[in-house]
């Protein structure tokens, strides 16, 4: 929401990828608008948590996983239905 990810909560690989991709991520998420709700769907095949996020103008799906140190190692978003 702030546009300022907390890179300290991420593994180094994800932090670097987020820095590179942040402008495009922000544009895409701005198009779908403010978050209205978040729903946990379950655990994916690779152990990641899967969420559907409803926005003002659409939805997105998020997959998030932590490493053994509790840092976010995987996070990706795709358009929702």
């Amino acid at each position: 929401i702030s546009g300022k990810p907390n890179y300290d909560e991420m593994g180094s690989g994800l932090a670097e990828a987020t820095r590179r991709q942040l402008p495009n991520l922000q544009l895409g998420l701005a198009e779908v608008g403010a978050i209205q709700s978040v729903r946990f769907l379950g655990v994916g095949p690779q152990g990641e948590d899967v969420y559907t996020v409803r926005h003002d103008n659409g939805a997105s799906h998020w997959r998030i996983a932590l490493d053994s140190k509790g840092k976010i190692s995987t996070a990706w978003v795709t358009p929702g239905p």
Side-chain angles (χ1 to χ4, degrees):
I1 292 173
S2 72
K4 299 175 186 174
N6 186 344
Y7 295 107
D8 292 336
E9 292 182 354
M10 301 178 198
S12 60
L14 179 60
E16 179 57 33
T18 301
R19 284 185 183 94
R20 283 192 321 267
Q21 298 174 23
L22 188 59
N24 289 334
L25 289 168
Q26 289 173 323
L27 285 174
L29 291 172
E31 290 178 7
V32 292
I35 294 172
Q36 297 299 314
S37 65
V38 177
R39 184 170 59 119
F40 176 68
L41 297 178
V43 177
Q46 297 165 346
E48 75 280 9
D49 290 344
V50 183
Y51 300 87
T52 291
V53 180
R54 297 279 176 204
H55 303 264
D56 286 339
N57 304 314
S60 59
H61 292 285
W62 290 79
R63 294 177 179 270
I64 301 170
L66 303 179
D67 65 17
S68 62
K69 296 178 183 176
K71 294 211 176 215
I72 303 168
S73 60
T74 302
W76 70 90
V77 60
T78 57

